[in-house]
Amino acid sequence: MFGFLLSLFALQFALEIGTQTSESHPSITWELNGARQSGQIVIDSNWRWLHDSGTTNCYDGNTWSSDLCPDPEKCSQNCYLEGADYSGTYGISASGSQLTLGFVTKGSYSTNIGSRVYLLKDENTYQMFKLKNKEFTFTVDVSNLPCGLNGALYFVAMPSDGGKAKYPLAKPGAKYGMGYCDAQCPHDMKFINGEANVLDWKPQSNDENAGTGRYGTCCTEMDIWEANSQATAYTVHACSKNARCEGTECGDDSASQRYNGICDKDGCDFNSWRWGNKTFFGPGLTVDSSKPVTVVTQFIGDPLTEIRRIWVQGGKVIQNSFTNVSGITSVDSITNTFCDESKVATGDTNDFKAKGGMSGFSKALDTEVVLVLSLWDDHTANMLWLDSTYPSNSTAIGATRGPCATSSGDPKNVESASANASVKFSDIKFGAFDSTY
Ligand SMILES: *[C@@H]1O[C@H](CO)[C@@H](O)[C@H](O)[C@H]1NC(C)=O
Ligand SMILES: *[C@@H]1O[C@H](CO)[C@@H](O)[C@H](O)[C@H]1NC(C)=O
Ligand SMILES: *[C@@H]1O[C@H](CO)[C@@H](O)[C@H](O)[C@H]1NC(C)=O
Ligand SMILES: *[C@@H]1O[C@H](CO)[C@@H](O)[C@H](O)[C@H]1NC(C)=O
């Protein structure tokens, strides 16, 4: 009897799966070494309805229910993570090899802003990628993404099962999009290692859907693509380890500890505009953002020494732009030398080097990584770091990153004026160099 009660308790302790909406992942095809793969898309757990055994919210807007979630344990005991209505609630649809993420979706119960999804190889397992000496290619249409939005495609070192095996509390696992982490060590995750992040939770004053808890979750990140129709960058972020963080190791700006944490939050980025070429990427430019474009990224060497970009549009291969900024050797790819020189030229802290540089990042890539696709607006810096001048009053080298006004990108305005914005990703391919385009 006692044993039975104990196991019942253990069962009840983990976060459970809700039964109001069955989880039905959108299907998507992609290519691995030339062979067609059938995968699935799963939305991150943070976007999902979290409720008690009935329909009372465990988390509402940007606060936790004090009855259901007075502490992490009770929260896991009391709460259920719900299945997703991908198109109706979240504005996500897939067809063939194409995925569309809509920005603002008015559902029957709520208005959803943006999304973050992962590629699954089967219902319960993220597709893992080993990037070194390989090439990743996809096609993207950012024509319907104005200033202030970011249609992103990137890799992070999440566990393939969403943390389920290591952390029994994370029972819903990858099937429900658990386990996210990135190089910003986000504090806004409702669950980290399956544990509710309710301690010290503070609702974000300018975001009615988000807040921050005591813990952050840090891991290596490779931003293949952060972009809207006006600007784009690819960025490598090194982290000294992949782990849940607390205090100094989170590198919080609010505590002026940005460069004291586990991860290089700035990263080393290649943005054609920022590095001197304002006519390369944009509507009607060399790479025409008013039309779909195929983006090839090559991870050269093991150890990794270089990350190269090649573009394909209208059947033509377009070589990447070369940097054209004083103090930076003219190059068209990311290497340690480029990162070192660009940090000196801009006067930025070289946290990439401090967190291991390319060799540290290369070691981190021995861990396989998960593919993330997202659409978001920026409640911290209005996306000015991507598409405008940042800091907005700076005239320093590297401060200008794109043509957007420094007054653009306020989420309030973006969400009302550009509710219909969307990004389309398609034709994901992974394989040997020069085999995917
Ligand atoms: C920008 O890139 C294009 C295409 O590579 C090139 O023709 C042009 O000269 C570059 N402009 C500058 C200012 O570097
Ligand atoms: C670099 O930019 C200057 C203008 O700032 C331009 O005159 C020059 O042609 C560019 N160099 C290259 C190699 O594109
Ligand atoms: C730029 O703005 C920041 C923050 O608003 C301010 O502290 C700083 O003095 C300004 N710098 C210049 C050069 O205007
Ligand atoms: C968004 O699209 C809907 C339907 O296509 C249309 O009725 C609405 O006016 C659009 N809103 C904006 C802000 O463009």
Side-chain angles (χ1 to χ4, degrees):
M1 188 59 188
F2 184 69
F4 172 73
L5 280 175
L6 205 65
S7 64
L8 195 69
F9 177 77
L11 204 70
Q12 282 290 305
F13 188 68
L15 176 64
E16 293 293 330
I17 292 162
T19 54
Q20 314 261 349
T21 305
S22 71
E23 178 66 8
S24 174
H25 299 135
S27 299
I28 188 166
T29 59
W30 60 289
E31 254 183 58
L32 178 61
N33 300 321
R36 189 182 151 107
Q37 310 288 311
S38 297
Q40 303 169 19
I41 292 297
V42 61
I43 188 166
D44 186 282
S45 57
N46 244 31
W47 269 255
R48 295 170 183 270
W49 184 25
L50 190 64
H51 58 82
D52 71 355
S53 56
T55 57
T56 302
N57 292 329
C58 280
Y59 179 96
D60 196 1
N62 56 19
T63 55
W64 294 89
S65 155
S66 52
D67 292 339
L68 296 166
C69 291
D71 59 55
E73 292 73 27
K74 292 230 172 48
C75 199
S76 292
Q77 274 170 46
N78 290 333
C79 300
Y80 293 71
L81 192 60
E82 199 49 73
D85 172 355
Y86 279 82
S87 61
T89 304
Y90 301 107
I92 297 169
S93 61
S95 169
S97 79
Q98 180 168 288
L99 172 72
T100 303
L101 305 179
F103 183 39
V104 178
T105 307
K106 289 201 163 62
S108 349
Y109 303 104
S110 59
T111 296
N112 180 70
I113 311 290
S115 58
R116 183 168 68 219
V117 305
Y118 312 114
L119 181 63
L120 290 166
K121 78 168 185 193
D122 61 48
E123 203 179 33
N124 296 301
T125 320
Y126 296 130
Q127 175 65 46
M128 303 308 287
F129 289 86
K130 210 153 194 176
L131 300 180
K132 284 185 275 188
N133 278 327
K134 287 286 191 316
E135 165 179 288
F136 182 90
T137 294
F138 67 107
T139 297
V140 64
D141 184 344
V142 292
S143 61
N144 192 24
L145 287 184
C147 296
L149 280 162
N150 188 340
L153 182 151
Y154 57 107
F155 288 103
V156 293
M158 286 163 73
S160 64
D161 64 352
K164 193 172 170 162
K166 195 163 173 199
Y167 305 105
L169 288 177
K171 188 175 166 186
K175 183 176 178 182
Y176 288 79
M178 295 195 83
Y180 185 71
C181 53
D182 69 32
Q184 303 306 317
C185 304
H187 283 270
D188 68 351
M189 295 306 298
K190 293 176 203 164
F191 290 89
I192 300 176
N193 302 346
E195 230 177 81
N197 199 12
V198 298
L199 302 174
D200 307 333
W201 187 265
K202 289 182 199 66
Q204 200 171 314
S205 60
N206 67 347
D207 188 342
E208 59 189 23
N209 295 309
T212 55
R214 176 184 297 176
Y215 302 107
T217 181
C218 310
C219 66
T220 302
E221 173 176 349
M222 175 68 221
D223 296 320
I224 299 256
W225 182 253
E226 294 196 277
N228 53 43
S229 59
Q230 305 302 311
T232 187
Y234 71 102
T235 307
V236 52
H237 296 269
C239 298
S240 54
K241 60 179 178 182
N242 301 327
R244 183 173 85 167
C245 67
E246 181 183 359
T248 308
E249 56 181 13
C250 297
D252 295 332
D253 285 324
S254 57
S256 303
Q257 294 173 336
R258 185 173 181 84
Y259 301 113
N260 306 123
I262 292 172
C263 290
D264 158 33
K265 295 188 171 186
D266 294 356
C268 171
D269 66 289
F270 196 103
N271 167 335
S272 299
W273 177 293
R274 185 177 192 204
W275 305 128
N277 195 322
K278 299 182 175 177
T279 61
F280 189 71
F281 177 87
L285 300 182
T286 305
V287 173
D288 183 356
S289 64
S290 68
K291 300 184 179 130
V293 57
T294 298
V295 181
V296 182
T297 309
Q298 298 179 329
F299 295 87
I300 297 175
D302 185 1
L304 180 71
T305 54
E306 182 180 8
I307 306 172
R308 291 193 64 75
R309 166 59 46 83
I310 299 164
W311 309 80
V312 185
Q313 195 169 42
K316 277 203 238 72
V317 174
I318 304 168
Q319 296 305 323
N320 199 20
S321 64
F322 279 80
T323 59
N324 186 356
V325 166
S326 98
I328 304 178
T329 308
S330 183
V331 291
D332 62 349
S333 68
I334 291 180
T335 61
N336 264 337
T337 304
F338 163 74
C339 296
D340 290 346
E341 289 182 356
S342 64
K343 299 293 182 184
V344 172
T346 55
D348 290 345
T349 301
N350 195 345
D351 205 29
F352 178 64
K353 188 173 194 169
K355 302 291 150 62
M358 204 57 98
S359 74
F361 182 68
S362 179
K363 278 197 209 86
L365 285 189
D366 289 337
T367 303
E368 296 180 310
V369 288
V370 172
L371 178 63
V372 184
L373 304 108
S374 73
L375 176 56
W376 58 288
D377 59 356
D378 180 356
H379 291 260
T380 306
N382 295 354
M383 219 66 82
L384 302 179
W385 55 271
L386 175 67
D387 60 21
S388 180
T389 300
Y390 188 78
S392 59
N393 57 5
S394 174
T395 53
I397 286 176
T400 176
R401 298 130 197 274
C404 298
T406 53
S407 58
S408 70
D410 182 336
K412 227 177 20 279
N413 304 334
V414 177
E415 287 165 23
S416 60
S418 308
N420 282 358
S422 64
V423 59
K424 291 181 198 298
F425 297 102
S426 63
D427 298 297
I428 291 169
K429 296 178 183 176
F430 189 64
F433 292 143
D434 301 326
S435 73
T436 65
Y437 66 96

